[in-house]
Amino acid sequence: MTTPATVHRRRWAILGVLMLSLLIVVLDNSILNVAIKTISTPAPTGLGATQGELEWAINAYTLVFAGLLFSAGLLGDRLGRKKVLLGGLVVFGISSALAASSGTPGELIAFRALMGLGAAFVMPATLAVLMNVFEREEQPKAIGIWAGGVGLAIAIGPITGGILLDHFWWGSVFLINVPIVIVAVALMLWLVPDSRDPNPGRLDPVGVVLSVVGLVLLVYGIIRGGQTADFTDATVLGTIAAGVLVLVAFVVFEKRSDHPSVDVTYFKNKVFSAAIAAIALVFFALMGVTFFSVFYTQSVRGYSPLQTGLLMLPLAAAQMIFAPRARLVVDRFGYKVTTTAGLVVIAAMLAAFATLEADTPIWLLEVIFFLMGAGMAHIMTPVSVVIMQTLPREKAGSASALSNTFRQVGGALGIAVLGSVLSTAYRGGIEDRLGAVPADLRHTAGESIEATLGVAAKLGPKGDALVGPANDAFLHAMHVTALWGAGVAVIGAVIVALFLPGKEPARQEGEGQQELVAAE
């Protein structure tokens, strides 16, 4: 299929509009990262959210997002990607305004889930439209610029969030999405062409329900285990087991369905599976680290939200610099060497977090963030190219949905698992120092560093003695969590080193669908 000449001439302008649409989806999470400490502060400054509620405020978005991506991709293939993009943006804008007006953590979690619904229809459609307006030889360059846009959003988000929190109330970090949505919708109506799959798949409501229910149960069990610091509790074990069973039922159902939302036969291809695993593991490690690094910079080091945003700038700057150029490294060294090296760098930088103390020179954190961003850029761009070029162009929505689903699931599990490791290690380190705290507040005070400092503030001068132990317990918990994250990144490096191809792409466009499912 050849791109129409009129569309081809506008393709770079179209890419700009797609990146703006992508910007708000990524921007929302990166803004939220610097706002989580403020939201955890008691009213009127914040909502007084616990660490578990903060994890749910993030994961309500990512789980709905991940669970609906396949159906969103199929609807785009069936109804037209432009229509689905516009609808997703409108839902995202309305739910952002509602989130900004939340009065309780529960309301925030609900509206964040609604934002995830809108985002699910935006993310896959942007990449699907990109694949339709660029010819194959330009796709790696366009995907590199698209991935660089993610880096731009990661850079703009924390800084914008910091500025807003310095001057306005916490809800402003969500309200900022509304004007961006209005601009994106106007430009899209003007520039972006519609496209659809001539042979779209049927929707799979049973698969969607099973995947969302299974993931929510699994994540709830993991977060609950971290809150109670007891993974042997019957409720925790039962919820995790139920989640795993529902996900197994999902895989069995998809395998037997003649119209699955996830065609599990794709995963017989080792290259495809390794590329998907790399994305999931990178975001597992990265999202977990981002979660605790905000508490390190703000609670332990005392930086403001704006200063925290600026401190995260090297992470985003490195992605913006290296993501568009990563294809040149792939051309020279191949997919295997490039992505393995990227994951090794990520693992080393996560391990470096285990050396940070309360008085570590801050420039060392900046170096760690920059190298993490460089490592990510040399993973995300080549892996995205492998995944997108594995399926034919008319299935671009499905390929994008697969990539983004595993990115979001990896990130949600990273926040849940590493957040639970952080909670468990923190409670173990602080519990013995809470003797001066009233008995009815001890459990709450042990949940997180913010909870301890909040209780300490209520106790007045007597609470001052808790500040030092709280910092020490958090640093120990951060070190343990960082090493867990590093271990996950090492597993990812081994997988891509074993299964990703060298300089040759996974397959050439036009090869039979049967070749895709054949094991390497």
Side-chain angles (χ1 to χ4, degrees), residues 172-470:
S172 60
V173 301
F174 299 111
L175 200 60
I176 190 67
N177 292 332
V178 176
I180 302 174
V181 165
I182 292 169
V183 172
V185 167
L187 289 172
M188 196 167 296
L189 287 168
W190 176 38
L191 278 172
V192 176
D194 208 354
S195 62
R196 66 185 73 200
D197 185 347
N199 301 297
R202 288 158 58 196
L203 298 180
D204 177 28
V206 175
V208 170
V209 171
L210 286 174
S211 64
V212 173
V213 170
L215 285 169
V216 168
L217 286 171
L218 177 63
V219 169
Y220 176 82
I222 294 168
I223 291 176
R224 183 65 185 159
Q227 284 179 315
T228 59
D230 183 11
F231 280 90
T232 61
D233 179 77
T235 305
V236 171
L237 287 175
T239 309
I240 292 173
V244 171
L245 286 173
V246 173
L247 289 174
V248 169
F250 166 72
V251 172
V252 171
F253 180 83
E254 296 298 281
K255 198 170 182 179
R256 294 179 178 177
S257 174
D258 59 355
H259 59 285
S261 55
V262 181
D263 191 340
V264 293
T265 57
Y266 293 162
F267 293 93
K268 291 181 181 178
N269 184 315
K270 293 176 184 176
V271 171
F272 183 82
S273 296
I276 289 287
I279 279 183
L281 293 173
V282 165
F283 273 81
F284 180 100
L286 188 76
M287 292 298 287
V289 168
T290 304
F291 187 77
F292 70 64
S293 67
V294 171
F295 288 102
Y296 171 70
T297 54
Q298 293 187 39
S299 299
V300 177
R301 301 300 295 260
Y303 289 104
S304 70
L306 176 56
Q307 289 170 324
T308 297
L310 292 169
L311 287 172
M312 296 178 76
L313 192 57
L315 175 69
Q319 288 191 64
M320 290 170 61
I321 292 166
F322 294 110
R325 296 171 175 80
R327 63 191 174 84
L328 303 176
V329 181
V330 172
D331 288 344
R332 179 159 185 179
F333 298 106
Y335 292 98
K336 185 192 296 282
V337 171
T338 305
T339 52
T340 302
L343 276 157
V344 168
V345 169
I346 293 270
M349 292 308 101
L350 290 170
F353 265 98
T355 68
L356 298 179
E357 301 292 345
D359 57 354
T360 300
I362 204 65
W363 64 265
L364 286 174
L365 179 64
E366 299 299 87
V367 171
I368 291 171
F369 275 147
F370 184 82
L371 291 175
M372 282 183 74
M376 274 199 74
H378 289 92
I379 300 164
M380 298 311 301
T381 301
V383 162
S384 296
V385 171
V386 168
I387 292 169
M388 294 306 293
Q389 293 191 346
T390 297
L391 299 183
R393 179 183 287 186
E394 61 270 17
K395 299 294 183 185
S398 299
S400 175
L402 272 169
S403 171
N404 284 295
T405 295
F406 278 85
R407 180 184 308 190
Q408 296 300 323
V409 169
L413 289 175
I415 290 167
V417 173
L418 297 184
S420 293
V421 171
L422 187 73
S423 293
T424 303
Y426 181 79
R427 188 180 288 279
I430 197 67
E431 230 163 14
D432 294 340
R433 310 300 295 271
L434 298 176
V437 176
D440 59 330
L441 293 177
R442 281 178 197 162
H443 184 83
T444 301
E447 272 195 0
S448 67
I449 185 170
E450 276 306 300
T452 306
L453 296 178
V455 169
K458 290 178 184 175
L459 294 176
K462 282 202 312 182
D464 293 344
L466 285 175
V467 175

Side-chain angles (χ1 to χ4, degrees), residues 126-151:
T126 60
L127 203 46
V129 171
L130 182 155
M131 297 299 286
N132 271 277
V133 299
F134 285 90
E135 297 294 352
R136 184 179 176 87
E137 61 273 10
E138 279 190 323
Q139 286 172 4
K141 182 180 179 182
I143 290 174
I145 295 170
W146 180 87
V150 176

Side-chain angles (χ1 to χ4, degrees), residues 18-34 58 61-62 65 89 92 96 112 115-116 118-120 122-124 126 145-161 173-174 176-177 180-181 283 286-287 290 312 315-316 319-320 376 380 404 407-408:
L18 296 176
M19 286 173 63
L20 183 63
S21 305
L22 178 71
L23 181 83
I24 59 165
V25 175
V26 180
L27 185 77
D28 181 70
N29 267 340
S30 59
I31 277 185
L32 185 59
N33 285 334
V34 297
I58 298 170
Y61 178 89
T62 54
F65 190 0
L89 283 170
F92 190 88
S96 294
R112 286 278 297 162
M115 291 171 72
V122 173
M123 179 73 93
T126 60
I145 295 170
W146 180 87
V150 176
L152 178 65
I154 292 171
I156 293 171
I159 296 168
T160 306
V173 301
F174 299 111
I176 190 67
N177 292 332
I180 302 174
V181 165
F283 273 81
L286 188 76
M287 292 298 287
T290 304
M312 296 178 76
L315 175 69
Q319 288 191 64
M320 290 170 61
M376 274 199 74
M380 298 311 301
N404 284 295
R407 180 184 308 190
Q408 296 300 323

Side-chain angles (χ1 to χ4, degrees), residues 2-11:
T2 305
T3 306
T6 52
V7 172
H8 191 75
R9 284 196 297 271
R10 298 200 312 257
R11 66 195 185 283

